[in-house]
Amino acid sequence: MIARRSVPRSVLSNLVLLVMAVFFALPIYMAVVNSFKSQKEIFHSVLSWPTSFSFKNYDYVIHNVDIVQSFFNSLVVTAVGLAGMLLLGAMAGYKLSRTPGKLSGGLFFLFLASMMIPFNVIMITLTQLVKHLSLQGSTLGLGLIYVGMGLNMVVFFYHGFVKGIPREMEEAATIDGAGEIHTFFRIILPLLKPITVTLAIINILWMWNDFLLPLLVLTDVNKYTLILTTNSFFGQYTKDWGSILASLVLTALPVVAFFIAFQRFILQGLADGALKG
């Protein structure tokens, strides 16, 4: 009886997974396939296979839009934001976790409280602050803003993960004469690899695909990220869907390449993080 009941459940679960896979894969299929079509062919049928694969849309995007400069801008913003968040977040999370007291508790509460504030509430104030700090129009400035915007969540996760690391390891390092900074970078930081990989994935996807914050900060077309460059294809009365989809595919390629190149480390980091938690 148990074996008979398990068969329908497995079939049902596989069916649900298949439907979910199709649901998530369909937009990707539509974007890739339609990027090789003309505007007329896209309007005729968005789901059909192209009659002939044409690279005109990609040729137009590459030669008429400075996609290379936009890629470099996105890379700078993401690299600066990620490096700042992970380094400062790891150090702050470690220090707050290992230093009990009212001051540490109050600071940690401020990090948690800032996570509850929606971005729309601080959007206008942030824009004014960016102008006063002369960060507007700068890709480096945008990366620093991302550090401030994402540091609260990073500190929260590092703070909880450090609690699972035995204090005896730090005490042994102290007995051997290692200072606090040396202990952190040589002993604690390598043990934070699982949560670091997880946080890197989350924040890379956020910064690479973000639209609103770059739109508020970047004023120069030459400093636009890939997402803002793609948005330039949306006119007031017309929309070049072929170029839009080709630009979106090119925008997504670096993230896809990142997952393929670091897939083993990503899966290992997620699994180790789950076991640690």
Side-chain angles (χ1 to χ4, degrees):
M1 292 297 292
I2 297 176
R4 290 180 181 178
R5 290 181 180 177
S6 61
V7 174
R9 289 180 180 177
S10 63
V11 173
L12 181 61
S13 62
N14 290 333
L15 182 61
V16 172
L17 292 175
L18 179 61
V19 171
M20 293 179 63
V22 172
F23 179 78
F24 285 104
L26 184 60
I28 301 175
Y29 165 81
M30 293 174 60
V32 175
V33 168
N34 288 288
S35 66
F36 294 99
K37 296 180 182 179
S38 63
Q39 188 88 334
K40 181 180 179 181
E41 196 174 359
I42 293 174
F43 287 151
H44 181 265
S45 177
V46 295
L47 293 177
S48 64
W49 199 256
T51 55
S52 62
F53 282 87
S54 175
F55 289 88
K56 290 183 178 180
N57 295 323
Y58 290 94
D59 183 71
Y60 176 81
V61 170
I62 293 174
H63 290 90
N64 292 274
V65 179
D66 200 350
I67 199 76
V68 177
Q69 182 62 43
S70 299
F71 171 79
F72 179 75
N73 294 337
S74 294
L75 188 63
V76 169
V77 170
T78 305
V80 171
L82 185 65
M85 274 188 283
L86 294 182
L87 179 60
L88 296 178
M91 296 175 68
Y94 167 72
K95 186 64 177 179
L96 293 175
S97 179
R98 289 296 196 248
T99 311
K102 292 183 178 180
L103 179 59
S104 296
L107 292 174
F108 185 64
F109 175 78
L110 290 178
F111 280 110
L112 292 181
S114 62
M115 295 174 62
M116 311 297 177
I117 303 174
F119 178 73
N120 296 336
V121 176
I122 63 172
M123 184 170 59
I124 298 177
T125 305
L126 179 64
T127 304
Q128 296 298 323
L129 181 62
V130 168
K131 291 181 179 179
H132 287 301
L133 296 177
S134 300
L135 297 177
Q136 194 167 30
S138 170
T139 52
L140 179 61
L142 179 58
L144 295 176
I145 295 170
Y146 275 122
V147 175
M149 295 292 296
L151 195 61
N152 48 14
M153 185 191 71
V154 174
V155 171
F156 171 74
F157 278 100
Y158 274 125
H159 183 274
F161 196 87
V162 169
K163 289 183 178 180
I165 300 177
R167 289 179 176 266
E168 287 77 9
M169 303 180 66
E170 300 159 63
E171 294 173 355
T174 303
I175 294 175
D176 292 337
E180 188 175 14
I181 297 178
H182 181 82
T183 300
F184 172 77
F185 282 101
R186 296 296 299 271
I187 297 177
I188 301 301
L189 193 59
L191 297 176
L192 299 177
K193 179 182 176 181
I195 191 63
T196 300
V197 173
T198 304
L199 290 172
I201 298 169
I202 296 172
N203 288 291
I204 286 175
L205 292 176
W206 167 44
M207 291 182 289
W208 191 268
N209 297 318
D210 189 27
F211 174 76
L212 183 56
L213 192 55
L215 182 65
L216 295 174
V217 176
L218 301 178
T219 55
D220 187 359
V221 177
N222 296 323
K223 299 294 182 65
Y224 274 8
T225 59
L226 284 170
I227 293 297
L228 291 184
T229 301
T230 302
N231 183 64
S232 64
F233 291 107
F234 287 89
Q236 184 176 0
Y237 301 105
T238 60
K239 296 177 179 64
D240 188 358
W241 287 108
S243 300
I244 292 171
L245 294 174
S247 181
L248 287 175
V249 171
L250 292 176
T251 302
L253 281 179
V255 179
V256 174
F258 170 79
F259 273 95
I260 294 176
F262 297 97
Q263 182 181 10
R264 180 171 63 88
F265 300 100
I266 293 172
L267 295 177
Q268 180 182 356
L270 290 173
D272 292 346
L275 293 176
K276 278 279 186 179

